[in-house]
Amino acid sequence: MNYSIALIPGDGIGPEVMGPAVEILDAAGTKAGHVFTYVELEAGGLSIDRSGVPLPDGVVEKVSQCDALLLGAVGGPRWEKLPGHLRPERALLGLRKGLGVFANLRPVSLLPQLRSACPLKDEVLAAGSPGGKAGFDLLIVRELTGGLYFGERGRSADGSLAFDTETYSRTEIERVLRTGYAAAAKRRKKLCMVDKSNVLESSRLWREVAEELAKEYPLIETSYMYVDNCAMQLVRSPGQFDVIVTSNLFGDILSDEASVLTGSIGMLPSASLGSLDAEGGKSIMGMYEPVHGSAPDIAGKDIANPLAAILSAAMMLRYSFGLEKEAALIGTAVSRVLDSGLRTADIAGKSGAGETVVGTRAMADAVLEAVKSAPWTEGEYHA
Ligand code: NAD
């Protein structure tokens, strides 16, 4: 198959980690008989320098004509003093809104190779996890284009009073829950809806919609949890969770909390998805990016971890193109490289002896080689 991919490498380490992600995608494509074509576009700081705005007219439209968007990261100290509407990060909001990607998916799992990077004890990791194994593998689905971040806000005339409002419609809640259910169906079939329905009216609507929708998904075990309890449970027994679905504000906070349990932000991919296709499987538009920012402190030094970007590309194969096996090919290649002891500086020293610290390029080359040399016949990866 042929797929067209909009590519925004962005600022700072963005181009350093996106270059390898593209090479690895191409290697997986060659192996599996797919052709990926890239439409390179500018947004963020680079675009401010070249055209004076963070998201030039026509970029959203050009992305919409592609099958998915891969983005590095935008921003940096050079543009920090600009007024809010001209800051590079404004491009992200414009892309999310313009593309209608309302569900942000962040998988958070503990890789056995990075066990010692997790501050939790074995007994905590084992509590509630499948088979009592010391680990976790969860997916946070955060509503991305509504709620407190987009509600009405303001100040009183004298500035001494401020307010922000949380507004959600049934449609907004239902569509993100459906994305959560579609993801849960491909995982361990558990969905936990997180809210604050003992206090907030908007949360009561979330709970109402979730209870109605749960009846449509009898094969998925649906549970409900207050957000304060969830914040505690994530560090008491993260293994109990499979898919967590929640609002924009709660998801922002919980996903950052969960990410700390994994070792380094340089390992974490993300997907922002729009409506699902008629079968409820693939996203009609998806934006894929590492969770980290442009990391200006390490840009240009060949020390950035490229794995979050590479794993984001694998998420694109899975969620936008439905290429599960090709996504697994990349995931397994990353795992094998970590097994071999290679580490970028951010994840070094976390598993003790037998590690070799390498730069961005060498880590990317190792994953590339692992993809190229993986046994793959007749569309199947044979481990
Ligand atoms: P950051 O994620 O860029 O960096 C935080 C810390 O993590 C830094 O010490 C950095 O060196 C380290 N780090 C990040 N990615 C890494 C990687 N792949 N490998 C190794 N270490 C890595 O967050 P920040 O410093 O708060 O923000 C820097 C800029 O990025 C700001 O302008 C911010 O607005 C922007 N930002 C953009 C996005 C995005 O484009 N999606 C997201 C977050 C921040």
Side-chain angles (χ1 to χ4, degrees):
M1 285 276 289
N2 289 359
Y3 299 93
S4 76
I5 300 166
L7 187 67
I8 301 181
D11 309 314
I13 62 168
E16 290 173 51
V17 295
M18 264 307 133
V22 165
E23 290 168 20
I24 286 155
L25 267 179
D26 284 340
T30 303
K31 198 140 203 153
H34 308 299
V35 177
F36 301 123
T37 17
Y38 303 92
V39 177
E40 192 158 334
L41 299 165
E42 282 175 9
L46 182 66
S47 161
I48 293 170
D49 288 349
R50 297 221 173 125
S51 50
V53 287
L55 187 63
D57 287 346
V59 169
V60 169
E61 200 188 341
K62 283 184 190 133
V63 174
S64 306
Q65 287 158 4
C66 296
D67 297 314
L69 165 64
L70 257 184
L71 184 137
V74 297
R78 283 181 57 177
W79 306 283
E80 249 160 36
K81 299 239 152 51
L82 291 172
H85 69 287
L86 283 179
R87 299 247 330 233
E89 295 79 3
R90 200 37 88 100
L92 298 174
L93 295 181
L95 285 164
R96 287 171 187 163
K97 264 284 185 210
L99 298 171
V101 288
F102 53 79
N104 181 237
L105 276 64
R106 285 194 190 185
V108 187
S109 64
L110 182 60
L111 297 177
Q113 301 93 334
L114 303 180
R115 164 65 188 96
S116 50
C118 174
L120 302 183
K121 292 182 189 148
D122 272 352
E123 54 268 35
V124 173
L125 290 173
S129 77
K133 276 198 187 152
F136 56 87
D137 175 10
L138 59 95
L139 175 73
I140 297 184
V141 180
R142 163 190 169 194
E143 201 289 326
L144 200 59
T145 53
L148 203 65
Y149 294 178
F150 289 89
E152 203 185 321
R153 62 175 57 102
R155 288 275 185 126
S156 60
D158 69 356
S160 64
L161 180 148
F163 67 93
D164 299 274
T165 47
E166 168 104 339
T167 311
Y168 269 115
S169 69
R170 244 170 203 282
T171 312
E172 285 174 311
I173 299 167
E174 186 181 321
R175 65 188 186 180
V176 72
L177 275 163
R178 287 199 189 280
T179 302
Y181 275 112
K186 292 184 187 161
R187 295 171 47 97
R188 299 196 308 280
K189 302 189 171 40
K190 283 171 63 176
L191 183 147
C192 179
M193 209 280 287
V194 172
D195 62 32
K196 188 69 185 166
S197 56
N198 49 344
V199 179
L200 302 176
E201 195 53 40
S202 54
S203 277
R204 279 195 272 277
L205 183 61
W206 271 81
R207 183 79 63 122
E208 216 175 284
V209 174
E211 283 172 354
E212 283 166 23
L213 219 57
K215 295 180 196 141
E216 286 185 38
Y217 298 92
L219 299 179
I220 312 279
E221 180 193 321
T222 305
S223 61
Y224 308 91
M225 197 178 272
Y226 296 140
V227 63
D228 37 356
N229 185 23
C230 183
M232 191 169 67
Q233 294 299 330
L234 276 173
V235 287
R236 259 178 83 173
S237 77
Q240 70 183 283
F241 295 108
D242 180 15
V243 174
I244 292 174
V245 182
T246 192
S247 65
N248 203 341
L249 172 71
F250 296 160
D252 192 6
I253 298 167
L254 293 177
S255 57
D256 269 24
E257 181 192 359
S259 70
V260 175
L261 305 178
T262 64
S264 167
I265 197 168
M267 294 296 301
L268 297 173
S270 85
S272 299
L273 306 182
S275 303
L276 302 178
D277 63 8
E279 286 86 46
K282 288 188 279 179
S283 170
I284 288 168
M285 177 42 78
M287 172 172 167
Y288 300 85
E289 54 183 322
V291 166
H292 62 73
S294 59
D297 53 333
I298 57 168
K301 296 182 178 165
D302 190 42
I303 51 177
N305 187 342
L307 296 182
I310 291 167
L311 293 170
S312 300
M315 284 189 88
M316 178 182 73
L317 298 182
R318 174 167 291 129
Y319 289 103
S320 274
F321 306 161
L323 299 175
E324 290 285 338
K325 290 167 189 158
E326 291 80 348
L329 171 70
I330 295 178
T332 309
V334 167
S335 190
R336 296 223 158 148
V337 168
L338 291 173
D339 280 343
S340 76
L342 289 198
R343 301 282 186 270
T344 42
D346 58 311
I347 50 171
K350 309 235 159 143
S351 55
E355 289 183 355
T356 310
V357 180
V358 294
T360 313
R361 191 60 253 173
M363 177 59 96
D365 285 344
V367 179
L368 189 59
E369 201 39 54
V371 166
K372 284 184 179 165
S373 62
W376 177 279
T377 44
E378 293 169 13
E380 286 281 356
Y381 175 72
H382 297 284

